[in-house]
Amino acid sequence: MNVTSDRSARHPPGAGFLEHFGKPVPRERGDFTWVYLWGAPLRIMHWIAAVCIAALVISGLYIGRPYFATAGEASSHFMMGKFRFVHFTAAAVIVMTGIVRVYWLFAGNAFERLPALFPVTPRNLLNMWRVVRTYFNLHTEEQPHFIGHNPLAQSAYTGVYLMMVVMVVTGFTLYGQSNPTGIIYHSLSWVPALFGGLQIVRLVHHALTWAFVIFVVIHVYLAVRADYVERAGVISSILTGGRFVSSSDHFEDLDLSTGHPHPWPKE
Amino acid sequence: MISPSAYPWAEGETLGQHLDERGIPRRDFLEYCGKMAVILGIGSAAAPRVAKALESVKRPSVVWLQLQECTGCVESVLRTENPSIGDLLLDVISLDYNHTLMAGAGKAVEKAKTDAMAANKGKYLLVVSGSIPTKENDIYTMIGGKTARMQLEEAAEGCAAIIALGACAHWGGVQGARPNPTGAVGVRDIIKNKPILVVAGCPPIGDTVTATVVHFLTFGALPEMDREGRPLFAYGERIHDQCQRRAHFDAGQFVETFDDKGAREGWCLYQVGCKGPATFSPCPIFKWNTRTSWPIEAGHPCIGCTEPYFWDTMTPFYGRLPDVAGFGIEKRVDTIGASLAIGAAAGVAAHATMTVLHQMKRRKATRQVPEATEDEGANNG
């Protein structure tokens, strides 16, 4: 049991707000250093994508099933038109974030590069299992600690990237239908054939919307939970780019003595 | 329609001479050419060119095969606009064989067909409506003692080009829908070495066929086609983008049921399953039955009949999206998606509660650690 990596033990429950209200907060132990993890492009794209996904889901659900109607003359309304405008604009912006992210797969640090997307070593599969157990509050003493993403989180994020690719391809296929002489229509003309018809493309695009909703619910929850349980500052890291670590911390993916990152240990 | 006996088009006579003989005013002919030029998308300024080409045309030969089908396509083509010339072009003057319309029967008409094919070898236009059954050695359709495949291959051999007319000749039609018991396929699956144009639809609009024939006669070639083989002059735009109810779509005004206020107001049929956004067809422009109306104008959603495999891919006709298999009949993707999302939110709430309780217990347990350790400095061992 590696007590030192358990931040809850280091920040003893005595550090609760009520017990210490009006009293000096106990001095932190260990020498803390700030480790810079996520480059500015990654963080900025994360938040742009977050806003876009919110806009895309809300407008997409209206386009898929208009949940309210307008009354009166058609000429005095443009409700669907506005939702579609928001949807297509957000789609273009999220494609931009995707392009930056692809660039960053090659220009980023060890935790951001392409190989980091695929936690496929045997040790990581074991760690993934341990993370799952931890989420059920079982064998928490065996919880592996990661300065970057744990293998389960990384698998989810890689899955979301793939979902985004499918969403962009199917979405632009549907968008391109309005201009059958245009480049979008022609460059994506293989998509309906691949899916077995435009309606299936539409169905996949629609169904994956819900997958994003589900992802956001779980993602936000687990991020908040990690901060609450582990007090590791992960939410802060997507704003500032870094986390505080103590020299006594032990991470699976970072050798603190040498500062050498190794996202997916093989041994 | 087939009444050529009164004014047979003589061998060597041009269409111009023949129309004169039949007493068709030249003004009508030019008007017809202008309309055709517009339909073909080459502009009314090209009308003289069309007229010049058409009037010098010598009697073209058209052989029309009807294979595994319902004859709906013939019915539709009968309803072309301006029948005095449209009928002439397509039927009277040129149709050497069509077993629904011709008066003759039996061996005599089979002979008429083979004679026409032999006499016009390499020049005649072959129109095919109906699918070709391929299961059980093609036995599901026999005409004149030959299977549909034999009829088609024989007629395709010497033709200049093929017009595959209707959904059946396009991809198999309703008999080609799952589970396709007869193994019905379209013309393009059998004939690979001829130019094939698909006039899609179940049935297609007659004007599309006559316009294609006019194009063939004027330019000696089939018009420009899309990936499906459909002529772009007719199938180049989505129904959704030409629709007279489009303003209601953009405004957010939708028919929810067929008897609601929106239906009476003529609002958009998107919510009752209109497949206009996935369907390329000239219906809103050409309309049906000599420009009388068309489905969406009449208040019925488009069923997407010009798209391949529409019986499988466009169903349910009154639902926006395909049914999701395995989740019951009425469960649509939104029901499933929303249930999963609510399930995820509930799971998160339950999990959060569990985590908080667990942490409280754990921290309470750690709190039993003597306070003394609190101030003993770094105790990270």
Side-chain angles (χ1 to χ4, degrees):
Chain A
M1 177 174 158
N2 188 352
V3 181
T4 54
S5 62
D6 188 340
R7 281 167 179 268
S8 295
R10 241 193 0 254
H11 299 233
F17 175 71
L18 285 176
E19 287 99 319
H20 288 273
F21 186 69
K23 300 174 197 162
V25 176
R27 179 166 48 88
E28 289 289 359
R29 274 158 282 184
D31 43 342
F32 279 84
T33 30
W34 193 69
V35 177
Y36 186 56
L37 277 170
W38 312 117
L42 192 96
R43 284 175 282 136
I44 295 168
M45 293 312 126
H46 172 273
W47 290 110
I48 294 177
V51 172
C52 285
I53 288 173
L56 285 164
V57 166
I58 292 166
S59 57
L61 288 177
Y62 181 85
I63 295 167
R65 200 206 175 296
Y67 37 78
F68 58 88
T70 58
E73 285 296 315
S75 55
S76 50
H77 298 284
F78 200 53
M79 189 54 67
M80 178 61 94
K82 284 172 189 164
F83 273 108
R84 292 174 85 227
F85 176 77
V86 168
H87 199 73
F88 301 153
T89 310
V93 173
I94 212 165
V95 167
M96 180 277 291
T97 68
I99 292 168
V100 173
R101 184 66 186 98
V102 167
Y103 165 70
W104 210 241
L105 285 176
F106 301 96
N109 66 34
F111 296 107
E112 300 162 337
R113 278 170 185 267
L114 187 61
L117 294 190
F118 305 101
V120 282
T121 65
R123 169 147 181 178
N124 269 300
L125 293 177
L126 177 66
N127 277 337
M128 204 185 284
W129 168 238
R130 285 178 170 159
V131 171
V132 172
R133 281 197 315 201
T134 306
Y135 282 150
F136 287 94
N137 295 327
L138 297 168
H139 301 279
T140 45
E141 73 282 0
E142 281 183 21
Q143 178 183 6
H145 290 269
F146 291 83
I147 183 132
H149 300 312
N150 72 56
L152 186 66
Q154 184 59 64
S155 308
Y157 302 155
T158 306
V160 167
Y161 286 151
L162 291 177
M163 279 190 345
M164 281 188 180
V165 170
V166 176
M167 279 307 244
V168 166
V169 167
T170 54
F172 276 85
T173 304
L174 295 168
Y175 175 70
Q177 298 300 313
S178 61
N179 181 11
T181 53
I183 187 166
I184 297 175
Y185 180 87
H186 281 286
S187 52
L188 292 171
S189 59
W190 51 274
V191 179
L194 178 73
F195 282 85
L198 206 57
Q199 286 297 103
I200 310 293
V201 175
R202 189 163 271 133
L203 178 68
V204 168
H205 193 77
H206 194 116
L208 277 185
T209 308
W210 290 108
F212 275 92
V213 173
I214 293 164
F215 168 77
V216 169
V217 168
I218 296 174
H219 175 62
V220 172
Y221 167 63
L222 287 181
V224 172
R225 181 190 185 277
D227 256 19
Y228 168 65
V229 173
E230 296 167 25
R231 302 205 169 148
V234 289
I235 291 180
S236 168
S237 74
I238 196 62
L239 292 161
T240 63
R243 280 170 57 177
F244 279 101
V245 299
S246 153
S247 58
S248 58
D249 277 336
H250 173 76
F251 292 112
E252 294 281 315
D253 53 350
L254 181 70
D255 189 338
L256 276 179
S257 56
T258 62
H260 181 61
H262 42 88
W264 305 132
K266 286 197 177 57
E267 57 173 293
Chain B
M1 171 160 147
I2 292 266
S3 51
S5 48
Y7 300 97
W9 189 356
E11 210 54 53
E13 191 182 29
T14 65
L15 176 62
Q17 293 163 342
H18 181 67
L19 290 178
D20 270 352
E21 211 149 294
R22 286 193 60 144
I24 308 282
R26 183 158 172 82
R27 179 179 292 274
D28 286 2
F29 174 69
L30 289 177
E31 194 183 309
Y32 178 77
C33 291
K35 277 184 189 165
M36 282 295 140
V38 169
I39 285 181
L40 288 170
I42 51 183
S44 54
R49 186 174 166 201
V50 174
K52 202 171 170 193
L54 275 189
E55 66 189 349
S56 59
V57 160
K58 300 241 170 91
R59 186 180 185 281
S61 179
V62 176
V63 171
W64 185 332
L65 289 184
Q66 290 172 273
L67 306 175
Q68 191 182 27
E69 61 133 19
C70 71
T71 66
C73 294
V74 179
E75 286 291 333
S76 177
V77 172
L78 289 177
R79 283 151 187 76
T80 50
E81 201 195 16
N82 203 340
S84 60
I85 296 170
D87 268 10
L88 271 179
L89 261 174
L90 193 73
D91 312 317
V92 182
I93 56 177
S94 56
L95 203 58
D96 283 319
Y97 176 87
N98 175 301
H99 68 217
T100 301
L101 299 174
M102 62 202 317
K107 289 208 169 70
V109 297
E110 289 299 315
K111 184 170 183 304
K113 184 183 76 177
T114 45
D115 286 353
M117 291 188 327
N120 299 291
K121 198 168 167 51
K123 286 183 290 189
Y124 64 89
L125 193 61
L126 178 64
V127 177
V128 183
S129 52
S131 61
I132 302 96
T134 58
K135 280 195 186 157
E136 262 74 72
N137 294 324
D138 318 334
I139 60 161
Y140 288 106
T141 301
M142 302 288 282
I143 300 159
K146 292 173 185 164
T147 65
R149 187 202 293 267
M150 285 161 74
Q151 288 273 3
L152 174 63
E153 283 174 348
E154 203 178 280
E157 177 96 44
C159 75
I162 302 177
I163 295 179
L165 184 63
C168 301
H170 181 188
W171 53 269
V174 66
Q175 60 276 20
R178 283 194 292 266
N180 194 357
T182 63
V185 298
V187 174
R188 292 196 302 173
D189 296 314
I190 304 285
I191 306 297
K192 306 282 186 191
N193 57 350
K194 294 283 178 185
I196 300 174
L197 177 132
V198 176
V199 180
C202 189
I205 304 174
D207 289 326
T208 322
V209 186
T210 42
T212 303
V213 174
V214 167
H215 190 285
F216 183 74
L217 295 177
T218 308
F219 300 103
L222 294 174
E224 205 186 338
M225 299 178 238
D226 67 5
R227 268 164 25 98
E228 283 295 321
R230 300 176 296 194
L232 281 174
F233 73 81
Y235 298 88
E237 288 278 342
R238 272 192 309 181
I239 286 200
H240 190 51
D241 296 322
Q242 313 170 77
C243 183
Q244 66 203 52
R245 297 191 182 212
R246 176 59 186 259
H248 295 292
F249 173 84
D250 289 329
Q253 301 182 325
F254 302 98
V255 175
E256 299 285 339
T257 56
F258 285 108
D259 55 357
D260 67 4
K261 180 171 172 291
R264 289 192 297 278
E265 299 274 333
W267 285 1
C268 174
L269 298 158
Y270 183 72
Q271 289 280 68
V272 284
C274 184
K275 302 302 184 301
T279 306
F280 288 80
S281 177
C283 300
I285 309 297
F286 290 11
K287 297 194 183 178
W288 286 81
N289 303 329
T290 66
R291 307 225 194 297
T292 306
S293 183
W294 64 293
I296 289 175
E297 182 174 341
H300 191 279
C302 167
I303 63 171
C305 76
T306 60
E307 295 300 316
Y309 309 102
F310 77 93
W311 289 101
D312 295 328
T313 62
M314 296 294 183
T315 44
F317 288 143
Y318 301 103
R320 276 246 316 118
L321 292 170
D323 275 328
V324 181
F327 285 93
I329 299 160
E330 288 303 317
K331 287 271 196 301
R332 299 279 198 269
V333 61
D334 275 341
T335 322
I336 298 162
S339 313
L340 289 175
I342 291 167
V348 158
H351 195 269
T353 313
M354 185 182 83
T355 302
V356 169
L357 291 175
H358 182 83
Q359 290 295 317
M360 281 167 63
K361 206 170 99 194
R362 187 150 151 270
R363 284 172 188 177
K364 199 169 177 183
T366 332
R367 205 172 303 162
Q368 307 308 319
V369 175
E371 288 289 317
T373 58
E374 186 86 354
D375 291 319
E376 282 175 5
N379 180 15
N380 294 314

